[in-house]
Amino acid sequence: MLETLELETGAVPEWSVVWLHGLGADGNDFAPIVPELLRPGWPAIRFVFPHAPLRPVTVNNGVRMRAWYDIVSMDFRSRADATGVAESIAQVEALIEREQARGIPAERIVLAGFSQGGAITLAAGLARSQPLAGLVALSTYLPDATVATAQVAATASTQPVFMAHGNSDPVIPVQIGEHSAQLLQAAGFALEWHRYPMAHQVCAEEIRDLGDWLGRLFARR
């Protein structure tokens, strides 16, 4: 089981949000946005911020850092190490199972991620036979997109998706993220797509829009 940082917004959480950080960061990276995200009237939520394993990253000269998979190429069609992606999906599934064991059903669990974490979010979401409440993918892309969208689990497309990207992202060009969004929509996902005037980061407008989307998600359950 991955080590995690957890924040609960109420005594008895009714929802869980499992949030995956980007390359080289850790679970502390997105914890500070929780107060900015919360809205009056929301149910109690447990935010789970796991720390990715330490592994050597090929494109960074083999330096060990927290990463959800090795980056073996700059070509987005073959960028992500498939073995690492599969290992991380299994670790995320273990976290989701733990939330279920703690009383949160799958339909009240949101999987979210930024950059590498968002790539794992999308890959895991497409493979789920038991749908989650929703998927949040920020400044990211779907690894091995053509194969992944051809093998979507039967009910996976019932999961709503929030995707957002910076117009000036130098790490993952916005066109790559947009292409992944288009493939998901073609596969039947109800997807909300946003672009912002920013680089490889998050911004206040994005957090506002994500909060609106989550609020609509909570209201439907």
Side-chain angles (χ1 to χ4, degrees), residues 122 126 133-137 156 159-163 184 189-193 213:
L122 292 177
L126 266 64
L135 308 173
V136 176
Q159 300 167 114
V161 182
F162 180 96
M163 286 188 74
L184 286 166
F189 286 82
L191 186 144
E192 184 171 318
W193 167 258
W213 183 85

Side-chain angles (χ1 to χ4, degrees), residues 61-106:
N61 298 315
V63 174
R64 288 174 58 84
M65 60 184 64
R66 293 200 180 274
W68 296 106
Y69 52 85
D70 186 15
I71 300 175
V72 297
S73 165
M74 298 311 292
D75 184 339
F76 281 91
R77 292 170 296 181
S78 57
R79 178 184 180 91
D81 162 46
T83 300
V85 170
E87 289 173 353
S88 288
I89 289 174
Q91 290 171 320
V92 169
E93 287 295 335
L95 292 174
I96 291 170
E97 289 174 9
R98 186 176 69 177
E99 291 309 295
Q100 292 176 290
R102 293 201 280 187
I104 310 295

